[in-house]
Amino acid sequence: MNIIILLGPPGAGKGTVSEVLTQHGIKHVSTGDMLRKEIRNNTELGLRSHKKISQGLFADDDDVMTMVTEFLFNQKKENFIIFDGFPRTLIQAEKLDLLTKNSEIKIFNVLRLKCPEDVLISRLSGRRTCVVCGAVYHDIFSPPKIFGRCDIEDGSLAKRLDDEPVVIKRRLKIYNKLTKPLADYYKNKSMLVELDANCSPQEVRDHTLKVYEDIIWW
Ligand code: AP5
């Protein structure tokens, strides 16, 4: 199994990249989605993570590694997967290296999305997510046909608990401190590919397909 790691600040559009790769047969795995599921299910791990995420802090490395390890060892059939939002700390990156060492799981490359901070803030401030299917909208950049309702499932659209202005600022600060250094970590391993995400969703899709044209199903 080959892992594509998506690295990028909150709001960079990891959702757009994931969506296009999923449409071309690559399985999407988001540790943010996994954690939100644990929270919805009121598991111990979810309860521990809930307070941290709502404050814009990271979940515990050990909790994240527990979820990821369980996932990896139950996934034997996939050829490629995208890790969206994992690893997010140096500790997680080193633990992933240990997990994949001497195994059939390899890191294929690391796609880093770059976008200025003012653009990230405006994207996150207007994001709305369908409570039924998880589809993502934006009040201005990609509004639904009917205000407040999902185009696909007609579910109501909600703001994510960590998309409040004060929490967005904290998330960006923590990203810069703990996650951004991973770009150098993977650059030193010659695994890093950079993508300018300060453009339209269609341009992001096109650039992504160009990077992965040799491995996706057309
Ligand atoms: P997670 O769910 O992974 O959130 P994130 O990394 O903060 O990223 P976002 O989902 O906010 O941003 P995105 O880049 O996916 O943006 P999107 O495509 O939706 O994690 C949530 C939390 O869980 C973390 O803060 C942390 O606490 C915890 N966590 C998760 N993984 C962890 C780990 N490994 N270790 C520890 N803790 C962990 O786009 C955003 C908006 O912009 C949308 O409205 C979209 O419509 C719009 N948009 C996107 N692209 C464009 C564009 N090109 N032009 C115009 N609008 C655009």
Side-chain angles (χ1 to χ4, degrees), residues 57-106:
L57 305 173
F58 285 173
D60 290 338
D61 286 330
D62 286 346
D63 283 339
V64 173
M65 290 314 302
T66 301
M67 294 188 313
V68 168
T69 307
E70 191 183 322
F71 169 82
L72 280 177
F73 287 97
N74 286 318
Q75 294 291 322
K76 306 268 185 241
K77 283 187 238 144
E78 303 297 334
N79 191 6
F80 280 90
I81 63 165
I82 319 155
F83 265 149
D84 167 359
F86 172 86
R88 209 176 272 246
T89 63
L90 208 49
I91 290 176
Q92 292 178 17
E94 287 168 353
K95 289 196 171 176
L96 179 64
D97 284 346
L98 276 179
L99 264 180
T100 53
K101 198 175 172 189
N102 302 326
S103 89
E104 288 182 2
I105 307 169
K106 305 276 172 246

Side-chain angles (χ1 to χ4, degrees), residues 13-212:
K14 299 186 287 297
T16 308
V17 170
S18 302
E19 188 188 279
V20 70
L21 291 178
T22 306
Q23 285 164 355
H24 288 81
I26 301 183
K27 188 179 173 73
H28 173 235
V29 185
S30 152
T31 42
D33 288 347
M34 283 175 159
L35 286 163
R36 283 185 286 274
K37 188 171 173 199
E38 296 283 337
I39 293 170
R40 276 196 307 277
N41 292 342
N42 281 319
T43 64
E44 280 185 26
L45 192 156
L47 292 172
R48 267 197 305 277
S49 309
H50 182 234
K51 200 170 167 198
K52 296 196 167 193
I53 293 179
S54 57
Q55 291 176 343
L57 305 173
F58 285 173
D60 290 338
D61 286 330
D62 286 346
D63 283 339
V64 173
M65 290 314 302
T66 301
M67 294 188 313
V68 168
T69 307
E70 191 183 322
F71 169 82
L72 280 177
F73 287 97
N74 286 318
Q75 294 291 322
K76 306 268 185 241
K77 283 187 238 144
E78 303 297 334
N79 191 6
F80 280 90
I81 63 165
I82 319 155
F83 265 149
D84 167 359
F86 172 86
R88 209 176 272 246
T89 63
L90 208 49
I91 290 176
Q92 292 178 17
E94 287 168 353
K95 289 196 171 176
L96 179 64
D97 284 346
L98 276 179
L99 264 180
T100 53
K101 198 175 172 189
N102 302 326
S103 89
E104 288 182 2
I105 307 169
K106 305 276 172 246
I107 299 175
F108 178 74
N109 74 7
V110 178
L111 187 67
R112 179 194 184 193
L113 308 190
K114 294 177 80 174
C115 194
E117 204 149 301
D118 56 332
V119 175
L120 300 174
I121 292 171
S122 68
R123 286 183 185 177
L124 294 171
S125 309
R127 173 165 58 184
R128 300 284 180 267
T129 307
C130 173
V131 295
V132 179
C133 70
V136 177
Y137 297 85
H138 189 282
D139 287 345
I140 299 163
F141 307 134
S142 53
K145 290 182 188 124
I146 300 168
F147 179 78
R149 307 300 303 179
C150 176
D151 295 347
I152 308 161
E153 290 287 345
D154 194 35
S156 58
L157 301 183
K159 203 175 169 86
R160 243 170 63 173
L161 79 169
D162 52 353
D163 278 347
E164 296 301 330
V166 64
V167 182
I168 292 173
K169 288 212 171 112
R170 193 175 300 134
R171 286 163 66 201
L172 290 170
K173 204 168 157 189
I174 292 176
Y175 172 84
N176 286 328
K177 189 171 168 204
L178 297 180
T179 311
K180 211 172 170 186
L182 292 184
D184 281 339
Y185 181 81
Y186 288 115
K187 195 174 184 181
N188 290 337
K189 292 172 178 278
S190 303
M191 288 178 171
L192 193 73
V193 178
E194 298 200 307
L195 191 149
D196 177 10
N198 185 19
C199 48
S200 71
Q202 189 52 49
E203 285 169 307
V204 171
R205 284 187 204 105
D206 293 345
H207 294 160
T208 303
L209 289 177
K210 189 89 195 121
V211 173
Y212 295 105

Side-chain angles (χ1 to χ4, degrees), residues 1-14:
M1 179 163 62
N2 295 282
I3 298 172
I4 294 168
I5 293 174
L6 265 191
L7 193 63
K14 299 186 287 297

